[in-house]
Amino acid sequence: MITHLKFASVPTRDQDAAVAFWVDRVGFRVLTDQPMGPGKRWIELGVGNAETRIVLFTPEGHEDRIGTFFNGSFNCDDVDHTYRRMVSKGVVFEGPPEKQPWGTFAKFRDPDGNTFVLSGR
């Protein structure tokens, strides 16, 4: 029986820049950082108290995924507060949080141009 999603991958060109962004600006933590083939590393990041991890790795032949939309959403308790905190750390958003009947969201980008949704109530 499936118990949870183990990880979701974020494609990146520069793993060092990606680690700096996700750890220093977003607040995730490095759980695994080990060699994974020539010139690449397998990097797993912890997201809050979640079991699901984010992996900063681009498989060979999937470089065209870099700079695209991440089909998922990062949830938080307070979108407005998290937005302000992330902006103060240099995270670039497409605009301020938007309130919708289903909740509040804002879109941000990583250094590779990937777009992510931050959402909550």
Side-chain angles (χ1 to χ4, degrees), residues 3-78:
T3 60
H4 64 278
L5 179 65
K6 183 175 180 180
F7 64 81
S9 181
V10 172
T12 182
R13 284 182 191 84
D14 182 335
Q15 290 181 302
D16 289 328
V19 168
F21 174 81
W22 289 105
V23 172
D24 299 337
R25 295 186 179 177
V26 179
F28 294 172
R29 64 195 183 287
V30 175
L31 300 175
T32 302
D33 187 344
Q34 60 191 17
M36 179 73 170
K40 292 193 178 193
R41 298 164 11 229
W42 183 261
I43 303 167
E44 291 185 22
L45 304 178
V47 181
N49 294 324
E51 285 188 55
T52 304
R53 299 171 178 199
I54 294 299
V55 172
L56 304 176
F57 181 80
T58 306
E60 190 145 336
H62 291 262
E63 293 81 7
D64 61 336
R65 292 180 50 225
I66 299 170
T68 61
F69 182 77
F70 180 80
N71 195 11
S73 178
F74 291 110
N75 193 59
C76 64
D77 294 330
D78 183 334

